[in-house]
Amino acid sequence: MDTPGRGSGDDIDPADQWVLNPGTGEYELRQPDTSAGRPTVPGPRSAPEPAAEPAAPGHRRATGRNQRKAKKKPRGKRILLWTGGTLAFVLVAGASTVYLYLRHLDGNITTTDTAGATSDSFSKDKAFNILVIGTDKRTGKGDSGYGDANSIGHADTTILLHVSKDRTNATALSIPRDLITDIPACPTKQPDDSVKTIPGTQGIRFNTSLGQLGRDPGCTVRTVAKLGDGLTVDHFMMADFNAVKTLTTAVGGVDVCLAHAVNDEKSHLNLAAGPQKIEGEQALAFVRTRYSWGNFGDLDRIKVQQQFLGSLFRKMKSDSTLTSPTRLMDLAETATKALTVDKGIGHISTLKDVALEMKKVPPKNISFLTLPVRDNPADGPVHKTVIEDEVPARQIFSMIKDDVSFTEVKKQQKAQQAAKLKGARSAPGDVRVDLYNAGAPAGSAQTTLAWLQTEKGVTKSSQLGNAGTPQQKTTLQYAPAQAAQARELADLMGLPASALKPGESETNAQGLPAMVLRLGADFKGAGIPLTGPAKAPSVRKTTADQVKCAS
């Protein structure tokens, strides 16, 4: 395949086509200049010729036309280094990486029209969310031993990847495939460009948001958006089992650690305890193995997959990867062939932008966590696998929507809030408060009451239904003698100082004075601070710089 933008000279190296446009500060492909017979730099003015590089020891300097060619090759190699090794969140059973430098790789990428579920473009100036989907579809040589033999490709492994606006941190939130949730009605684009709406389904496993009834990745995107209370999912990336094998081989293997030896007859994984390097079929077996970790369930397998992803990310940012043009070329070919993406990022230039933005995030600030769930709940006559643990799950989605880091959570704001509420505090058990719903979502007062009593020890509390007149802001009214109680409750709930309203208390059902808490339209849910989280919710979290042994 011809390299796009190539001039008539057949001896031009493909890497030489990427040059710095001084007008934009971006690396771009040269465009043909038919008058000179050579490619020219796009943009407002041509880039100056780079200074000649010194000849390597033991080699003669090139001369004439070959000399010009020799000077350009180092620049092409530098472009490989700067654009390589960045999208390591891309997952187990669905991994992908994006450092593309030749237009012909566009032809490797498969795109899906999500009928409006995702954005039409990518912005480098804001936070973004990418849904990474690994399907259990059996494609590729040797994949017949994994997944459901008759699977049409369900959402077997799903990670919501949030990258912060300032690129200082990222969150990779795993969504269990067995989560019982509601799948909304889903418009899907048909081959003839018509749109077919697939009816929604209530109380069904999350993984059926893809494949079942003809659902496409846009349906999985819509399901996650609904699960996250209107969370915006900007884009998706999807791949199957084969991507894990090809990607790990392309990077030269991934380092993992096992707390104990594994000999799994189902996945055929056979590894000794301690540090190991795995790739190809062995890597796929590692991330698919379930009966060797924890309680043999998918939740424990997710933990191992997150450890694997952290190691993969470190490997892709390592010198052994970034300084090897051959390895980077292999990765570019592998990744683009493995990927299916939405049309908004379905081009080489856009994927390059995504990769470079992600590359800015330090591994120590990349948090891996799993959506909090309750396992095998006895909540009705119908057996369920796992259901959402509502309070911490709402906290996590709120933090993602508010672009709050799980590694450094608004320390300055926390200090300011503490200063505003400075003063004596009551013990939680001494706080008396009556709760009213004054414009918050239905059921908020009852949910908050249960959270305060069971999680925070505010046992002298009660909820009295609707307040009557809705209000935009949540308020806490208290008598002067209750100031210490007000400070304690504000701290427990994350109420801003502006929510505290000195005034009068009311008499509760026991005939005692009680503060009045009115939950307004700004109330986000039990345990979700209105000030932004003072700390991350108490859920298991790891970061990409941590090395742990699978157990």
Side-chain angles (χ1 to χ4, degrees):
M1 181 175 182
D2 291 338
T3 303
R6 186 168 182 163
S8 59
D10 292 335
D11 62 341
I12 299 175
D13 191 287
D16 295 342
Q17 303 302 90
W18 286 88
V19 294
L20 177 66
N21 183 338
T24 65
E26 297 281 345
Y27 282 88
E28 305 175 13
L29 282 173
R30 291 175 180 266
Q31 302 298 320
D33 182 352
T34 55
S35 62
R38 300 285 292 176
T40 60
V41 179
R45 63 181 185 273
S46 298
E49 283 289 319
E53 298 284 342
H59 291 273
R60 300 174 60 185
R61 290 181 60 87
T63 59
R65 182 173 182 173
N66 290 333
Q67 180 177 342
R68 291 194 299 273
K69 176 180 175 183
K71 288 187 293 185
K72 294 176 183 176
K73 281 187 175 180
R75 171 172 285 176
K77 291 179 181 178
R78 287 198 300 272
I79 294 166
L80 286 173
L81 301 184
W82 293 331
T83 59
T86 50
L87 197 54
F89 299 105
V90 196
L91 160 77
V92 289
S96 55
T97 182
V98 193
Y99 30 74
L100 312 173
Y101 70 100
L102 292 176
R103 282 188 194 271
H104 78 264
L105 294 179
D106 258 340
N108 290 345
I109 303 169
T110 302
T111 61
T112 293
D113 188 331
T114 62
T118 52
S119 175
D120 293 333
S121 60
F122 174 74
S123 173
K124 295 188 286 185
D125 300 321
K126 67 175 188 177
F128 61 89
N129 297 319
I130 294 180
L131 192 67
V132 183
I133 307 169
T135 77
D136 58 2
K137 190 172 183 178
R138 289 184 175 184
T139 56
K141 183 179 179 181
D143 290 341
S144 60
Y146 301 96
D148 181 356
N150 301 311
S151 178
I152 52 180
H154 294 121
D156 187 65
T157 309
T158 305
I159 288 183
L160 176 66
L161 173 64
H162 171 80
V163 180
S164 69
K165 181 178 180 178
D166 61 10
R167 308 302 187 245
T168 61
N169 64 89
T171 301
L173 176 66
S174 294
I175 301 175
R177 67 175 190 181
D178 295 330
L179 176 72
I180 300 300
T181 189
D182 295 338
I183 299 175
C186 178
T188 58
K189 204 68 174 287
Q190 303 300 301
D192 62 357
D193 283 338
S194 64
V195 176
K196 175 184 177 182
T197 298
I198 300 172
T201 307
Q202 293 185 330
I204 195 169
R205 290 192 183 195
F206 173 85
N207 68 341
T208 60
S209 64
L210 178 68
Q212 203 81 0
L213 304 179
R215 295 185 177 110
D216 64 10
C219 299
T220 307
V221 167
R222 294 177 194 273
T223 302
V224 172
K226 177 176 172 53
L227 188 64
D229 292 331
L231 176 86
T232 298
V233 180
D234 301 289
H235 304 286
F236 84 85
M237 295 180 178
M238 181 176 72
D240 58 28
F241 288 155
N242 202 48
V244 179
K245 297 192 294 186
T246 56
L247 183 62
T248 54
T249 299
V251 299
V254 175
D255 295 318
V256 297
C257 177
L258 282 75
H260 57 78
V262 171
N263 188 358
D264 192 317
E265 295 181 356
K266 292 183 179 292
S267 69
H268 308 295
L269 180 67
N270 190 349
L271 290 174
Q276 307 286 342
K277 178 173 287 189
I278 57 176
E279 64 179 86
E281 191 74 32
Q282 198 174 49
L284 179 57
F286 182 82
V287 298
R288 292 295 304 159
T289 291
R290 179 170 51 176
Y291 296 99
S292 297
W293 319 124
N295 296 321
F296 307 157
D298 188 56
L299 295 177
D300 288 300
R301 178 169 60 178
I302 286 174
K303 298 175 186 177
V304 174
Q305 290 173 346
Q306 291 170 346
Q307 294 165 13
F308 174 86
L309 284 177
S311 180
L312 176 60
F313 183 75
R314 294 192 298 272
K315 181 60 178 287
M316 296 180 74
K317 294 194 74 170
S318 68
D319 290 342
S320 65
T321 299
L322 295 179
T323 59
S324 171
T326 300
R327 183 166 289 173
L328 292 174
M329 285 287 292
D330 289 344
L331 278 168
E333 291 288 346
T334 297
T336 51
K337 289 177 181 177
L339 275 175
T340 296
V341 301
D342 61 277
K343 288 192 172 182
I345 55 173
H347 296 284
I348 180 175
S349 58
T350 314
L351 287 173
K352 178 207 72 172
D353 289 341
V354 175
L356 291 177
E357 293 305 304
M358 292 180 59
K359 189 167 184 265
K360 297 174 183 178
V361 183
K364 68 177 182 177
N365 287 344
I366 300 168
S367 301
F368 290 97
L369 60 159
T370 304
L371 183 73
V373 294
R374 289 190 284 128
D375 198 5
N376 293 315
D379 64 342
V382 179
H383 174 73
K384 298 180 177 67
T385 46
V386 294
I387 62 173
E388 180 187 57
D389 192 351
E390 188 173 350
V391 171
R394 295 307 96 195
Q395 291 176 318
I396 289 172
F397 280 126
S398 178
M399 291 177 70
I400 291 175
K401 286 190 287 187
D402 292 341
D403 194 24
V404 177
S405 167
F406 281 81
T407 49
E408 297 178 9
V409 187
K410 294 189 175 180
K411 294 179 179 178
Q412 183 176 1
Q413 185 177 18
K414 178 183 177 182
Q416 292 173 347
Q417 173 70 3
K420 290 179 181 180
L421 298 175
K422 187 175 181 180
R425 307 281 179 89
S426 296
D430 294 331
V431 173
R432 286 192 189 89
V433 61
D434 287 344
L435 287 76
Y436 294 88
N437 190 323
S444 293
Q446 183 59 43
T447 303
T448 303
L449 177 70
W451 177 76
L452 283 172
Q453 291 183 342
T454 60
E455 300 291 331
K456 297 300 178 181
V458 184
T459 54
K460 297 176 182 178
S461 52
S462 58
Q463 75 91 7
L464 302 176
N466 295 327
T469 304
Q471 56 190 53
Q472 288 298 314
K473 300 290 186 180
T474 297
T475 59
L476 176 62
Q477 183 178 316
Y478 60 97
Q482 296 170 317
Q485 295 183 41
R487 295 188 195 101
E488 177 66 13
L489 186 62
D491 186 59
L492 292 173
M493 294 188 62
L495 300 179
S498 60
L500 274 62
K501 306 295 182 183
E504 297 181 357
S505 61
E506 70 178 20
T507 301
N508 66 11
Q510 289 74 42
L512 298 172
M515 298 184 294
V516 180
L517 176 63
R518 295 180 175 91
L519 305 177
D522 63 340
F523 186 71
K524 301 178 181 180
I528 303 176
L530 296 179
T531 58
K535 62 178 181 178
S538 299
V539 296
R540 179 189 175 276
K541 175 179 69 69
T542 60
T543 53
D545 64 325
Q546 294 176 330
V547 179
K548 294 190 174 184
C549 293
S551 60

